[in-house]
Amino acid sequence: MSNRSSTQLKALYPYSFEAKDKRENFPAPLLYIGWEDHHLFCSPVCLPLPAETPFGALSQAVLPGVYGAHPDFARIDWNAVEWFKSGEPWQPDPARSLAENGLGHKDVIRFRTPGMTGIAGSFA
Amino acid sequence: MDTPVIKKKLGLKDRYGVMTRGLAWDTTYQPMDKVFPYDKYEGIKIHDWDKWEDPFRLTMDAYWKYQGEKEKKLYAVIEAFAQNNGQLGVTDARYINALKLFIQGVTPLEYGAHRGFAHVGRHFTGAGARVAAQMQSIDELRHFQTETHAISHYNKYFNGMHNATQWYDRVWFLSVPKSFFEDAMTAGPFEFLTAVSFSFEYVLTNLLFVPFMSGAAHNGDLSTVTFGFSAQSDESRHMTLGIECIKFMLEQDPGNVPIVQRWIDKWFWRGYRLLTLVGMMQDYMLPKRVMSWKEAWEMYAEENGGALFRDLARYGIREPAGWKEACEGKDHISHQAWNTFYNYAAAAPFHTWVPEDSELKWLSEKYPTSFDKYYRPRLEHFRAEQQAGKRFYNTTLPMLCTTCQIPMVFTEPGDPSKICYRESTYLGDKYHFCSDGCKHVFDDEPEKYVQSWLPVHQIYQGNCFKEGTDPTKEGFEPLAAVLDWYGINVGRDNFDFEGSEDQKNFDAWRGNSPNKPSGSEGGAA
C-alpha cells in the first residue's frame, strides 16, 4: 500500500476532480471477494453489500449465488476456511456485521479452502 | 497580384523544405507561448526544433498520390471479395469473431489516434514535427475508414459488427482500449507521442498487426489481409516517427531522459496489458493457427524489443519497468483472457467456445509448461458442462483493475496459481490493481485515475441503464437492462458459439450450396 503526497501529474491548470467511485455514489459499499486457488471464475468479484449485513451471511447467502456452480463449492467446510483482508490473514466474526468486522468501501477479502485446489488440482 | 512563380524546379530536399517547414512562421500579434501553450508544460526541453529529422520526407501532394494508388488497389480487392462472396471462403465461422474483436476494439483506436495526432500536429512549435503528426493523423483516419469498409461486408452476414461505435463507449471490455487512448490523448503532446508513436507503434504494433493479418491470410480472409497490408505500410512510417521522436527528445536535453523513461515504463505496461486481447485472439480465435502468442512475443518483443533497448542504452534509457513480468506472462495471459470471455460471454458482443481436441493439443505443444497443468482442465470441465446443457456463465460482476480496467485475472509473477492483487490508498479511498505495473501508473498520477470510468462500478452506480429505467420495479433484471443499454442483441450477438445464429447460418450456406454463390440466400439479420 502506498500513500504518496506529491505526484508526477503535469497540467496547464489546477487539476482536481472528485473520485468517481466514492462511497456516496453507490447504494451500498463495495466489497471485493476472491476465492483463492480457484480460477474457474476468472477474477475476484465486486458486490455492493449493506454495511449491516452479518459476515456469516456471505458463506450462507451471498457466495452460493456467486460460486455455487463450482464442483468444489458444496464441499467447503466453512469452519476450516482461512480469511484474508488486503492479503493479510484475518479472522472475521461471522455473527457481527461487515462494518463491525472493519470492512469498508472497496475493501478486498479473500478466502482459502484448505485442501482444495480446483478442478484436477489445476487451480481452476 | 500574380502568384509568384518558382521558375527553377526545386530539388527534392529544397522542395520538402518549402512544402513543410516553409509553412511555419513565428507569430507577432500574440506571443508564441500563448498560441502554442502545450509543448512546454510537461518539462521536456527542446533547444532546437530544426534538429528534428523527418524520417520520411513526405509532402502532402506526394502523400495523396501514394495513398491514392494504395487505396485503389485496396478497394478493388474489397469489391472483388464482396462480389465473390468471400465471406464463404473463410475457414470456419468461429474465425469471424476475430474480426468482431477488431472492429469493436481496434478500429476505434485508429480514430482515437487520428484525433490525438491532429491535436499534437496543431500544438508543437516545431514545423517538422507538426507536419509529421498531421500526416499521421490522416493515416489513422484512413485506417479507421478502410477497416470499417472492409469489415462492413461481413456485417451483412454475421452478428456482432453493427454497433461498434456505441459499444466502444459502453461495453465493459472495450473500456480497456478506450481508457488506454483517452489516457494518452489527455496527456501532454510529448507523452502522447511516447505512448502512441513509440510504445504502441514502435514497440508493440508488430504484435498487433502481424498476427491479425497473418491470421486472416491463414483463414482465407483476403479482404482483411489487404487492409492490413495497406495499414502496415503506413505503420512502418509511424514506427520510424516513433523512434525519431524518442531520439529527438533524448538528444535535445539530458533533463528529458528521466521524464521519457517514466513514460516508457508507463506506456509499455499499458500497451502490454491492452495486447492481452490480441494474445487471446491468436491462441483461441483462429481456426487455423499461425504462431502462438508466446512465439510472437519471443520474436517481436524479446528479440526486437530487446535489441531496441540495448540501442537506447547509450542515451541512458533502460528496458521498461515490467519488462520481465511481461516476458513471463507470455505463458499465461492468452489463456487467462479467454477464460474471462468464456465467463462473461453473455455480456460481450462476440462468441466464445471451448477449443476442439486438436486445438487443445496444439495449445499443449505450444505451452508445454503451463497449458496442461493450469488451463486444460478448466476448458474440459467447461466443455462437459456445456454438453450437459449447463453452459457456464459467470453471473457476478468482476473486480476490475483501476488502471488497465481489465478484470483482475492476472496471476502473480512466479506463481500462476495466485491472482495478483495490489492496492493503494489515495485521499482515504482504496484503489486496486492487477499488477505492480498498473499500481505504479496510478501512484504516479492518482489525480488522473480516480476518474477512471470503471464499467462494473458504473453499473452499480446505476449509470448503465436506459433513461426511464426503474431498477426498483418488481422483476427488474439488471443484466438485461445493461445489455439493452449496451445495444447488444441478446441471443444473437452474445453467448456461446455453439448454437449461435452465426454457426447455423454458416453451416447452412456452406452445406446447402457449397459451390455456388449464395449471397442471394440472405444474411444473418
Side-chain angles (χ1 to χ4, degrees):
Chain A
M1 239 188 272
S2 78
N3 227 336
R4 291 177 62 141
S5 49
S6 68
T7 82
Q8 303 272 2
L9 189 94
K10 302 276 189 296
L12 276 172
Y13 305 100
Y15 192 100
S16 175
F17 297 92
E18 280 201 339
K20 240 189 182 65
D21 298 326
K22 58 184 184 178
R23 167 65 190 91
E24 303 86 283
N25 291 351
F26 294 88
L30 296 184
L31 184 64
Y32 303 111
I33 307 172
W35 184 6
E36 291 291 275
D37 307 330
H38 289 79
H39 309 156
L40 188 77
F41 297 84
C42 59
S43 70
V45 296
C46 171
L47 287 167
L49 291 172
E52 60 276 14
T53 310
F55 190 88
L58 289 185
S59 60
Q60 298 312 306
V62 176
L63 296 178
V66 176
Y67 291 117
H70 197 291
D72 276 357
F73 190 79
R75 302 192 292 115
I76 296 175
D77 171 4
W78 287 99
N79 294 317
V81 163
E82 297 165 2
W83 290 94
F84 303 85
K85 186 185 169 202
S86 288
E88 298 299 321
W90 177 64
Q91 284 191 318
D93 179 347
R96 309 186 76 168
S97 70
L98 299 179
E100 286 163 348
N101 273 290
L103 292 175
H105 183 48
K106 297 207 282 173
D107 263 325
V108 60
I109 59 173
R110 317 183 215 173
F111 63 102
R112 192 170 159 263
T113 47
M116 293 180 183
T117 51
I119 293 164
S122 69
F123 300 92
Chain B
M1 198 179 90
D2 288 341
T3 312
V5 177
I6 300 168
K7 290 211 175 84
K8 203 176 156 203
K9 207 175 171 189
L10 294 170
L12 215 57
K13 200 177 167 191
D14 293 336
R15 192 178 136 72
Y16 175 75
V18 170
M19 299 279 282
T20 56
R21 299 191 184 194
L23 300 175
W25 68 92
D26 279 357
T27 55
T28 50
Y29 298 164
Q30 293 287 338
M32 281 291 276
D33 280 350
K34 214 171 157 195
V35 179
F36 294 93
Y38 286 96
D39 73 359
K40 289 209 174 74
Y41 77 93
E42 295 168 282
I44 293 290
K45 292 191 181 71
I46 303 299
H47 303 290
D48 183 3
W49 273 104
D50 285 339
K51 289 264 163 57
W52 171 277
E53 287 292 335
D54 301 272
F56 289 82
R57 297 221 153 95
L58 200 58
T59 56
M60 195 46 84
D61 57 341
Y63 180 89
W64 291 133
K65 184 172 176 293
Y66 174 62
Q67 299 296 355
E69 283 165 10
K70 249 172 46 175
E71 224 90 310
K72 263 185 227 156
K73 288 178 199 154
L74 169 64
Y75 280 92
V77 173
I78 292 176
E79 225 161 85
F81 187 80
Q83 282 175 9
N84 294 317
N85 286 298
Q87 79 281 359
L88 294 175
V90 302
T91 42
D92 177 335
R94 290 182 305 165
Y95 164 74
I96 306 298
N97 291 284
L99 295 180
K100 297 178 192 180
L101 195 63
F102 199 94
I103 191 78
Q104 293 166 16
V106 179
T107 302
L109 297 188
E110 306 272 19
Y111 193 73
H114 148 67
R115 290 177 59 198
F117 280 106
H119 177 76
V120 170
R122 156 66 179 82
H123 284 289
F124 277 138
T125 39
R130 273 217 307 270
V131 169
Q134 283 168 352
M135 218 77 92
Q136 180 162 348
S137 173
I138 301 168
D139 276 347
E140 305 291 5
L141 185 57
R142 277 181 33 249
H143 295 174
F144 174 80
Q145 290 172 336
T146 55
E147 288 162 15
T148 305
H149 287 159
I151 288 180
S152 72
H153 176 73
Y154 285 99
N155 180 40
K156 297 176 198 163
Y157 299 98
F158 297 95
N159 297 319
M161 284 181 271
H162 59 287
N163 209 6
T165 311
Q166 185 175 329
W167 290 337
Y168 182 66
D169 284 333
R170 298 188 179 188
V171 172
W172 59 279
F173 83 93
L174 294 166
S175 77
V176 174
K178 183 180 164 79
S179 74
F180 175 99
F181 253 83
E182 291 186 346
D183 189 349
M185 286 158 73
T186 51
F190 284 110
E191 183 178 344
F192 177 82
L193 284 192
T194 310
V196 178
S197 293
F198 181 71
S199 297
F200 197 71
E201 306 264 9
Y202 195 85
V203 183
L204 298 166
T205 198
N206 273 329
L207 279 161
L208 170 65
F209 268 88
V210 179
F212 251 113
M213 301 320 151
S214 12
H218 274 66
N219 287 282
D221 179 7
L222 198 62
S223 177
T224 299
V225 177
T226 313
F227 83 62
F229 284 148
S230 170
Q232 187 63 22
S233 64
D234 300 330
E235 297 301 334
S236 54
R237 187 148 37 81
H238 303 167
M239 289 169 71
T240 318
L241 175 66
I243 192 74
E244 171 54 31
C245 167
I246 284 286
K247 289 188 172 170
F248 177 65
M249 284 191 277
L250 297 173
E251 282 166 2
Q252 283 286 310
D253 196 289
N256 294 341
V257 174
I259 303 176
V260 171
Q261 179 73 59
R262 190 167 61 80
W263 289 338
I264 290 176
D265 292 348
K266 169 182 174 180
W267 289 102
F268 165 73
W269 190 258
R270 290 222 61 185
Y272 164 66
R273 276 292 186 248
L274 176 56
L275 289 189
T276 305
L277 288 169
V278 183
M280 165 183 97
M281 186 273 307
Q282 206 169 339
D283 281 343
Y284 285 85
M285 299 175 88
L286 302 176
K288 269 197 175 170
R289 272 121 168 109
V290 186
M291 61 175 6
S292 66
W293 170 253
K294 182 182 177 179
E295 288 166 324
W297 181 264
E298 284 166 355
M299 179 183 298
Y300 295 113
E302 291 180 15
E303 284 179 33
N304 296 359
L308 167 69
F309 286 104
R310 280 193 295 281
D311 184 39
L312 290 176
R314 66 194 157 101
Y315 296 100
I317 290 290
R318 52 160 172 74
E319 66 189 25
W323 179 261
K324 285 188 182 66
E325 285 90 334
C327 292
E328 186 184 319
K330 70 189 172 189
D331 266 310
H332 302 286
I333 62 164
S334 67
H335 316 298
Q336 293 166 348
W338 186 249
N339 189 40
T340 308
F341 284 97
Y342 195 89
N343 267 235
Y344 290 109
F350 63 87
H351 302 299
T352 48
W353 55 87
V354 171
E356 293 163 3
D357 282 334
S358 60
E359 294 165 334
L360 293 177
K361 186 166 169 276
W362 183 86
L363 288 164
S364 296
E365 284 163 10
K366 295 295 179 186
Y367 294 94
T369 59
S370 60
F371 185 72
D372 286 353
K373 189 170 175 194
Y374 297 109
Y375 305 111
R376 178 190 275 270
R378 80 181 61 165
L379 290 166
E380 289 177 342
H381 172 79
F382 284 147
R383 175 154 63 193
E385 292 286 285
Q386 192 262 332
Q387 286 171 353
K390 297 183 289 181
R391 203 287 193 187
F392 171 75
Y393 292 107
N394 192 332
T395 53
T396 314
L397 301 185
M399 175 183 183
L400 305 179
C401 171
T402 305
T403 302
C404 71
Q405 310 205 2
I406 297 176
M408 298 267 297
V409 304
F410 301 106
T411 45
E412 282 284 354
D415 188 356
S417 74
K418 285 221 168 317
I419 295 282
C420 182
Y421 294 80
R422 298 290 183 269
E423 64 181 74
S424 294
T425 302
Y426 178 67
L427 300 179
D429 278 316
K430 284 192 174 149
Y431 297 89
H432 299 271
F433 314 99
C434 67
S435 54
D436 291 320
C438 282
K439 177 179 156 59
H440 289 155
V441 171
F442 177 91
D443 286 346
D444 260 3
E445 301 170 308
E447 305 93 326
K448 196 165 190 181
Y449 303 98
V450 299
Q451 303 169 69
S452 295
W453 194 94
L454 298 176
V456 168
H457 294 182
Q458 290 299 312
I459 289 171
Y460 284 140
Q461 287 183 32
N463 296 332
C464 303
F465 304 132
K466 276 186 176 162
E467 215 170 311
T469 302
D470 177 11
T472 59
K473 215 172 140 188
E474 184 96 15
F476 175 71
E477 286 186 49
L479 176 65
V482 171
L483 293 181
D484 190 33
W485 182 76
Y486 281 176
I488 285 180
N489 287 329
V490 175
R492 279 183 159 172
D493 300 332
N494 57 347
F495 300 132
D496 203 273
F497 175 75
E498 198 68 34
S500 67
E501 213 171 49
D502 278 2
Q503 182 198 35
K504 286 180 192 157
N505 284 336
F506 192 73
D507 284 351
W509 298 329
R510 284 262 283 250
N512 292 343
S513 51
N515 298 318
K516 73 171 202 236
S518 56
S520 57
E521 290 172 25

